[in-house]
Amino acid sequence: SGAIRSTLGQLENLEKLFLVGNQLSGTVPKELGNLKRLERMWIDGNRLNAIPEELCALVESGDLMTFNVDCGMNCNCCNNCI
């Protein structure tokens, strides 16, 4: 439970991030947009409420190929809601 820490954005070699069903809340940190090697991200099953534009830029560039979120979440760039 709690929030996603912005320090995850410092893990520059991270390729996959699986945070499903952890009761996380709040906004996804914009620092995750620094993860240029991130290819797959699953954050569904939480209580998150917004995706920052910095993370959407990874989706739009084609780098972040899988991005799963909860369907009720405010996200214009998510490619799969669950």
Side-chain angles (χ1 to χ4, degrees):
S1 66
I4 298 176
R5 294 183 181 208
S6 62
T7 53
L8 281 177
Q10 297 172 2
L11 301 173
E12 57 189 43
N13 292 318
L14 190 68
E15 295 178 359
K16 297 177 185 173
L17 184 59
F18 188 83
L19 298 174
V20 173
N22 289 296
Q23 298 181 18
L24 298 170
S25 60
T27 302
V28 176
K30 66 179 181 179
E31 289 82 3
L32 294 187
N34 296 332
L35 301 174
K36 305 301 182 198
R37 294 187 182 192
L38 189 64
E39 297 175 354
R40 305 190 188 291
M41 183 174 180
W42 300 268
I43 56 173
D44 50 285
N46 292 293
R47 295 174 293 184
L48 299 165
N49 56 31
I51 300 294
E53 290 300 318
E54 291 85 355
L55 198 50
C56 284
L58 293 179
V59 174
E60 292 164 3
S61 71
D63 294 330
L64 183 53
M65 297 176 284
T66 302
F67 190 24
N68 291 3
V69 302
D70 292 311
C71 290
M73 194 172 189
N74 181 16
C75 182
N76 295 327
C77 63
C78 301
N79 54 24
N80 193 17
C81 73
I82 297 174

